[in-house]
Amino acid sequence: MIESPHETGYNFAYLDEQTKRMIRRAIMKAIAIPGYQVPFAAREMPMPHGWGTGGVQLTAALLGPEDVLKVIDQGADDTTNAVSIRQFFQKTAGIATTTRTDEASIIQTRHRIPEMPLKAGQILVYQVPIPEPLRFLEPRETETRKMHALEEYGLMHVKLYEDIARHGYIATTYAYPVRVEGRYVMDPSPIPKFDNPKMQMSPALQLFGAGREKRIYAIAPHTRVASLDFDDHPFKINRFDRPCALCGGEGVYLDEVLMDDRGQRMFVCSDTSYCESRRAMGHGPVDASAEPAR
Amino acid sequence: MSHGPGAGFKNPVFDSQRLFRQAMMALATPGQICEMAMDAEPPAPFMAAMAGLALCLVDFETPLWLDAAFDRPEVLQYLRFHTGARFAPKPDAAAFALIGHALAMPNLSDFSLGTLENPHRSTDLFIQVEYLSNGEGPTLAGPGVAVPIELRAGPLPRDFWAQRLAMQRHFPCGLDIYFVCGNRLAAVPRSTRLMGDLPCM
């Protein structure tokens, strides 16, 4: 037996073997049918729904003693959700954890894709609240299942068009629907649409788990993932007009941080690991006055 | 029978996890040949990776269909003891099909392809072959394939790849096929597209 300092009384990584097998079979089907939501018998986990029980069950079914796990919550390694899930697997599996994107074999994420490009062999596990992209357009599961079967996605385009009619542009900024390999319309989970292009042809395997809704879906590596759009309103990601206030990083997703009650605020990298590694390499705030005009 | 079933996993938790990850990466990278190291002692005609797939994925929830080569008392006893598997009377009632003699296998359309609304309710085929290599076979492309790759597996029925090609237009219905050769494994999921002229087997 492999001895590890983990919590006794539980199976390795908490779930029993029969549950892991059931989840593993669902993962296999999900990879074989990219973008299709495979139903699975999600278990009660020792944390509330909405805390990533779908992602946690995926991670539990994947984890082995050699894995190195990274958990992020909105890009950050040090917020409550990320810390508690990381500790959960430290306790129940005794595996190594990291905050560095390039060191991790499995990255469980809530609502961000790391800034550092992922590599072949890495697995990105998304926590998904509502897996069905059509759910707010059609509440009945029997109907959405038919719509996916018949590739009946006109309603989704109507929704995006209504954005254009109302605002002049597609105002959906997160959970922006994608089409996987030209077939299934998929909810990429509430990641900012800024991250959507990172899913396209990613060398990493992407797995999505929704615990409350009991669905698993996947994007195999090197799979076409197109954000829905129109010829005259092509998909565009939001750009930030300033660099990160801590590391000076550009072309990254920034979080707004309020500094005081007089409207002072700063914009910093949402990906804390990326920001820290840049600062460790000597990058710092860009002095706007010293910067030549670009 | 005087002997009990052969040994299964030495360490069920870690062996099944490792083999699952190898099988999953094989499925996620169609055509790539992966090692599936196994130290179980399954009865003939089990190849090592075949036993690995069966022990890590099959249980009482997944009806299993065996072809004539596998339909032997030692095999039934081994699978019942280690997996608790139930056996399906017909190929299209099975979640997994174990095929030891591919030349005599049923047509692909005899297995369950799933339905448009529930494409995941299909049969996974585990096929043992005598040779498995990259090159001089049908060219695979699609999700998981960075650069189109040729996969040579066999011996297979003459029209195997033609049947597989004809099935592509039914996507998302279809079959996920795993080829096993000794302790090596390659997968051709339903999302994989066959390109170019098909070699005649």
Side-chain angles (χ1 to χ4, degrees), chain B residues 4-176:
Chain B
F9 288 140
K10 287 215 168 64
N11 193 322
V13 173
F14 299 111
D15 287 348
S16 56
Q17 185 272 340
R18 181 171 44 83
L19 290 169
F20 161 68
R21 284 283 285 276
Q22 288 162 343
M24 183 185 78
M25 289 323 286
L27 186 71
T29 55
Q32 301 272 1
I33 296 170
C34 306
E35 294 282 326
M36 291 235 336
M38 259 289 286
D39 52 7
E41 292 158 14
F46 266 113
M47 291 177 176
M50 187 67 134
L53 279 175
L55 296 192
C56 86
L57 291 173
V58 174
D59 62 26
F60 65 91
E61 292 184 333
T62 53
L64 195 58
W65 183 81
L66 307 178
D67 77 345
F70 270 107
D71 195 0
R72 303 157 59 135
E74 315 87 82
V75 172
L76 293 173
Q77 183 200 31
Y78 185 81
L79 289 169
R80 277 203 188 99
F81 182 78
H82 288 297
T83 68
R86 293 182 293 123
F87 295 96
K90 291 198 316 199
D92 66 356
F96 296 107
L98 269 52
I99 293 159
H101 184 52
L103 286 174
M105 69 182 282
N107 284 329
L108 294 184
S109 54
D110 291 341
F111 296 97
S112 170
L113 310 186
T115 62
L116 274 179
E117 289 187 26
N118 289 290
H120 63 287
R121 291 190 190 152
S122 59
T123 310
D124 286 355
L125 304 190
F126 299 162
I127 304 178
Q128 288 193 171
V129 290
E130 289 165 23
Y131 51 86
L132 183 64
S133 60
N134 289 126
E136 291 171 47
T139 305
L140 312 181
V145 187
V147 181
I149 187 170
E150 286 187 38
L151 184 69
R152 178 171 175 268
L156 295 171
R158 280 182 64 85
D159 60 347
F160 180 89
W161 291 111
Q163 290 183 51
R164 171 61 180 70
L165 180 66
M167 199 168 275
Q168 270 170 215
R169 64 194 177 89
H170 297 299
F171 185 88
C173 299
L175 299 170
D176 306 324

Side-chain angles (χ1 to χ4, degrees), chain A residues 30 33-37 126 128 130-134 148 153 156 175-181 183-189 191 196 199 206-208 216-220 223-228:
Chain A
I33 320 171
Y36 169 70
Q37 303 161 52
Y126 295 74
V128 182
I130 296 172
E132 178 51 73
L134 305 168
H148 283 294
Y153 295 130
M156 185 57 91
Y176 192 103
V178 295
R179 189 137 193 194
V180 183
E181 201 61 27
R183 178 58 178 81
Y184 282 100
V185 165
M186 190 195 90
D187 184 339
S189 85
I191 59 171
N196 272 22
M199 292 192 287
Q206 302 173 77
L207 302 176
F208 299 76
I216 288 171
Y217 51 106
I219 301 173
T223 297
R224 289 183 289 138
V225 182
S227 302
L228 298 185

Side-chain angles (χ1 to χ4, degrees), chain A residues 30-162:
Chain A
I31 294 171
I33 320 171
Y36 169 70
Q37 303 161 52
V38 182
F40 81 113
R43 303 295 197 242
E44 291 290 325
M45 298 301 286
M47 61 189 74
H49 288 306
W51 281 66
T53 53
V56 165
Q57 290 179 77
L58 281 175
T59 302
L62 293 167
L63 270 186
E66 280 103 48
D67 275 312
V68 180
L69 179 68
K70 171 181 164 79
V71 186
I72 52 173
D73 172 7
Q74 304 270 16
D77 293 275
D78 53 2
T79 46
T80 315
N81 195 203
V83 171
S84 66
I85 291 173
R86 196 161 57 232
Q87 283 179 353
F88 175 74
F89 284 115
Q90 278 169 340
K91 273 188 187 165
T92 58
I95 42 102
T97 60
T98 182
T99 59
R100 289 187 46 167
T101 301
D102 55 344
E103 280 178 355
S105 57
I106 298 176
I107 303 170
Q108 181 171 333
T109 174
R110 174 174 174 272
H111 312 350
R112 266 319 302 282
I113 299 176
E115 302 291 357
M116 179 182 285
L118 300 177
K119 298 174 293 193
Q122 286 184 311
I123 304 171
L124 188 59
V125 174
Y126 295 74
Q127 303 170 195
V128 182
I130 296 172
E132 178 51 73
L134 305 168
R135 183 59 70 232
F136 290 111
L137 306 171
E138 168 52 64
R140 289 166 297 181
E141 171 68 14
T142 48
E143 292 304 303
T144 52
R145 199 154 266 281
K146 271 202 198 84
M147 290 160 80
H148 283 294
L150 302 174
E151 279 184 82
E152 180 52 70
Y153 295 130
L155 210 51
M156 185 57 91
H157 278 100
V158 171
K159 177 192 176 274
L160 295 177
Y161 171 73
E162 282 179 350

